[in-house]
Amino acid sequence: MRFPRKHRRPGAVWARGPARSPAAAAARGPGRGIRAASPRGRQSSRQSPAAGRAGAGRGTASARARPRRLAPLWCRPWRALPRGRLRCRRTTAAMELEPELLLQEARENVVAAQSYRRELGQRLQGLREARRQIKESASQTRDVLKQHFNDLKGTLGKLLDERLVTLLQEVDTIEQETIKPLDDCQKLIEHGVNTAEDLVREGEIAILGGIGEQNEKLWSFAKKASHIQLDSLPEVPLLVDVPCLSAQLDDSVLNIVKDHIFNHGTVASRPPVQIDELIEKPGGIIVRWCKVDDDFAAQDYRLQFRKCTSNHFEDVYVGSETEFIVLHIDPNVDYQFRVCARGDGRQEWSPWSVPQIGHSTLVPHEWTAGFEGYSLSSRRNIALRNDSESSGVLYSSAPTYFCGQTLTFRVETVGQPDRRDSIGVCAEKQNGYDSLQRDQAVCISTNGAVFVNGKEMTNQLPAVTSGSTVTFDIEAVTLGTTNEGGNFKLRVTISSNNREVVFDWLLDQSCSSLYFGCSFFYPGWKVLVF
């Protein structure tokens, strides 16, 4: 900081901190001619002459315990000294030390500025992504609205045209059905009119001939007239008895349609639910979501996903839970996830959440293929005990379970239970056993019994049923020889049906990864591993 030039006096000397005489500076010892500014501003501590003499030798204890650091240049107090009255002269050691401190301070400031620039750059990137999300979502919303209302107008126009055609057909039908009797009556009357005209002409001719010589004409006319019923007239319906067509059009439908149209569709700035967490699993990803709108009462949720290279989302879950594991995930492939909700008592779904990208770097768990007695799914993560009479332990194709992870078995279907049934993990594959209830393995039986190195524990879990989920969480505890005789200790937590047991598992040697396995003696058991 520099004071304005108008406040300086020619020849004035500017110094940092409190001024000291050369004698006092020499008394304080080498390298201590400059003091850092006090944290409290212009207040600075002063040492007594005795403390100064003691410091000339080896420095005070307080100075060694709390080393001072130069404050930044723009924070240090500066003041002008009267001309010709220099109150502080730096020693040679102090003059040599200040450039080093300034250089160190400059380096720290450069590092701080670089870090500050990086943080600002990240925030600018975040702002750009936020702006892009707003722009893209607004553009997509406009397109959706335009397309929807264009479709709606086309559909409404088509429905109105169809209704018009239906009403016109009704008019035509009524007209044709009611006009036909009138046409028949008209033909009858016209025929009578023609007959009457012919009779009139013949009668007039007969009358003009006289009685003498025209008797035959009069007799013929009288005979003809007697056959015509001149006193019989057809009945013509009254106007009140024939249809009078009209169109009954209720204008209130316009108000109803108007109200529906004005209330049709909404624009939401934020969806009521958002994806909260994506947790990678071997061959799957656990998706968790939560409500962000407290006023929204969610009844069901709908989860969709797709590969980032695909244009089509597909449903993977619809229900009331706020967590779901999406299986059939290829490792090291990016997937997009989105979720929406349906309000209580409503049929339409809410807007979709902001899509989140996740992937799994963990190798999918797979059962060993070609093992007689078990049939596998296409991805080899589901094992079904078939009708084969051969028995044994079905192991994983590789030791893909690592300590610190969670291994999950989900029983899809159940068969007849047996006390030798087992689901668990082991240090290595050992053929010739018909169960994991052996050394170097931990497992749970279908009746809920827990076995560690072939010994049954007193604690027991609930029996396994259809839909049961059994999880194994294993952590390394100690390395080296233990009092129990093992060389490697693992802490195992087995959970099933909201209950769990925790115990230590001793192995002869350390294992960076473990196998998993299962064995069932009766067909019908189907197990999914992830």
Side-chain angles (χ1 to χ4, degrees), residues 136-301:
E136 290 183 357
S137 62
S139 177
Q140 293 175 359
T141 303
R142 292 189 191 96
D143 294 339
V144 169
L145 289 173
K146 292 177 182 178
Q147 184 65 38
H148 174 75
F149 276 86
N150 286 334
D151 295 342
L152 195 61
K153 286 191 292 184
T155 303
L156 288 176
K158 184 178 179 181
L159 293 175
L160 290 174
D161 292 340
E162 291 177 354
R163 182 57 179 168
L164 176 60
V165 170
T166 301
L167 294 176
L168 293 177
Q169 288 177 351
E170 291 183 8
V171 173
D172 295 340
T173 301
I174 296 174
E175 181 184 16
Q176 293 174 3
E177 291 178 350
T178 57
I179 207 70
K180 188 177 183 302
L182 299 181
D183 292 341
D184 296 339
C185 185
Q186 180 177 348
K187 291 178 181 179
L188 181 61
I189 294 176
E190 289 176 349
H191 178 70
V193 170
N194 294 333
T195 302
E197 289 179 352
D198 293 341
L199 188 61
V200 169
R201 283 194 300 270
E202 291 181 6
E204 289 178 348
I205 294 174
I207 293 173
L208 291 176
I211 298 176
E213 56 185 28
Q214 298 293 335
N215 281 334
E216 292 183 1
K217 291 184 178 180
L218 290 174
W219 182 83
S220 176
F221 173 75
K223 183 179 180 180
K224 185 177 182 180
S226 65
H227 288 85
I228 300 175
Q229 298 178 358
L230 296 178
D231 59 348
S232 176
L233 295 175
E235 184 178 359
V236 177
L238 299 176
L239 294 181
V240 295
D241 295 332
V242 296
C244 180
L245 279 71
S246 63
Q248 304 298 316
L249 300 176
D250 188 2
D251 292 338
S252 63
V253 70
L254 296 178
N255 294 327
I256 297 174
V257 172
K258 184 188 300 182
D259 292 339
H260 280 81
I261 290 177
F262 285 166
N263 295 323
H264 178 67
T266 56
V267 176
S269 60
R270 293 179 180 85
V273 292
Q274 293 283 10
I275 292 178
D276 185 47
E277 190 176 15
L278 298 173
I279 304 174
E280 62 176 354
K281 295 281 290 182
I285 294 178
I286 296 178
V287 185
R288 293 174 179 167
W289 55 88
C290 62
K291 286 198 314 175
V292 294
D293 185 359
D294 295 333
D295 297 331
F296 184 83
Q299 178 181 2
D300 293 315
Y301 298 98

Side-chain angles (χ1 to χ4, degrees), residues 411-432:
V411 179
E412 305 290 340
T413 60
V414 298
Q416 181 180 345
D418 187 274
R419 62 180 182 82
R420 295 167 294 178
D421 295 338
S422 59
I423 303 173
V425 297
C426 57
E428 58 184 8
K429 293 182 179 180
Q430 293 184 9
N431 298 323

